[in-house]
Amino acid sequence: MRKIGLIGGMSFEASAVYYRLINEAVRQRLGGLHSAELLLHSVDFQRIVELQQAGRWTDAGALLAAVARGLEGAGADCVLICANTMHLVADAVAEAIGVPLVHIIDETARHLLAASCRKPLLLATRYTMEHGFYAERMQRHGITLSVPSAEGRTLTHDIIFKELCAGQVLAPSRQVLLGLIDEARADGADAVILGCTELCLILDPAQLSMPAFDSTAIHATAAVDFALGT
């Protein structure tokens, strides 16, 4: 079994999901009481948020690159950034290490294409929906994203940062997100990407009005595939 390196803490609510999903998948595949060979470096999310808000993405990339080098030095055979937004600096992280970076956007694209979905709605933080890095990476795979209106993007961003990252899962906010999904479906979207690793806390992909792709589960599965060579 190869060792997985996780850059977590962004937020720790999502990192806990990664840890559970990865270990459950290893146990399911190998049986018995098997669990993952795994290293987790959990960063102080407040520090990351302040860099995001200040637009200091180069500094954020340098910080995560240093964490990734530490994981590699500790024996990680791959590295995952356990957050969609921080894939804005994924290239800086990948360039800093000599082991593979398992990229959440590429893995999500692979699942979309396997389901013949090419016009998904992206629900995510404002940074992920508006900075272009996510849409550009998806476009390389022939996938064209849509995002909610400006108001919808603000609502989604606030639900993520003010509620989900703080451990609050509120029914009215779930209804807001379901409404955005229904609007996108009416406008021609053929799927929805839960493009923030906390969105799985409030939305169940099996209960949505169109095919849904949970980036957290997809990323965790990709880590296990790598670790087990499957």
Side-chain angles (χ1 to χ4, degrees):
M1 188 190 309
R2 290 186 281 187
K3 189 172 295 182
I4 300 165
L6 301 179
I7 304 177
M10 304 175 290
S11 68
F12 74 76
E13 300 286 348
S15 300
V17 177
Y18 270 91
Y19 186 78
R20 176 176 56 79
L21 291 177
I22 289 170
N23 281 292
E24 285 178 348
V26 169
R27 183 174 61 192
Q28 180 180 30
R29 296 190 198 185
L30 298 183
L33 295 177
H34 282 288
S35 57
E37 292 278 352
L38 183 154
L39 299 168
L40 168 63
H41 184 136
S42 186
V43 302
D44 178 3
F45 193 32
Q46 182 61 39
R47 185 179 180 191
I48 299 296
V49 168
E50 289 170 1
L51 292 174
Q52 292 174 341
Q53 292 173 340
R56 294 171 56 191
W57 295 102
T58 299
D59 291 339
L63 190 159
L64 294 194
V67 171
R69 284 193 295 269
L71 289 169
E72 182 181 14
D77 295 303
C78 71
V79 171
L80 281 72
I81 302 170
C82 299
N84 282 274
T85 293
M86 296 313 295
H87 276 72
L88 193 154
V89 300
D91 288 347
V93 175
E95 291 167 4
I97 54 178
V99 297
L101 178 75
V102 181
H103 201 293
I104 198 168
I105 303 175
D106 292 341
E107 294 298 331
T108 303
R110 185 168 62 83
H111 281 255
L112 283 159
L113 293 175
S116 299
C117 296
R118 293 178 177 272
K119 298 187 296 179
L121 168 71
L122 173 65
L123 292 179
T125 67
R126 180 181 292 113
Y127 308 116
T128 304
M129 291 187 286
E130 296 181 358
H131 272 251
F133 73 97
Y134 198 104
E136 290 167 9
R137 190 93 179 191
M138 279 290 179
Q139 194 64 58
R140 297 182 197 178
H141 297 278
I143 295 168
T144 301
L145 300 176
S146 62
V147 297
S149 66
E151 179 184 8
R153 295 195 299 273
T154 296
L155 288 169
T156 304
H157 184 89
D158 288 347
I159 289 168
I160 292 166
F161 274 98
K162 295 180 180 180
E163 299 173 17
L164 300 179
C165 289
Q168 299 180 46
V169 179
L170 305 180
S173 295
R174 180 180 293 110
Q175 293 306 311
V176 168
L177 296 172
L178 293 175
L180 296 175
I181 292 169
D182 289 342
E183 289 174 12
R185 183 185 183 191
D187 288 339
D190 60 6
V192 56
I193 301 170
L194 306 188
C196 171
T197 51
E198 284 78 26
L199 284 173
C200 63
L201 301 173
I202 195 169
L203 294 175
D204 179 355
Q207 301 298 319
L208 302 182
S209 60
M210 57 182 169
F213 296 82
D214 175 4
S215 62
T216 309
I218 288 169
H219 207 200
T221 298
V224 175
D225 289 344
F226 177 90
L228 300 183
T230 57

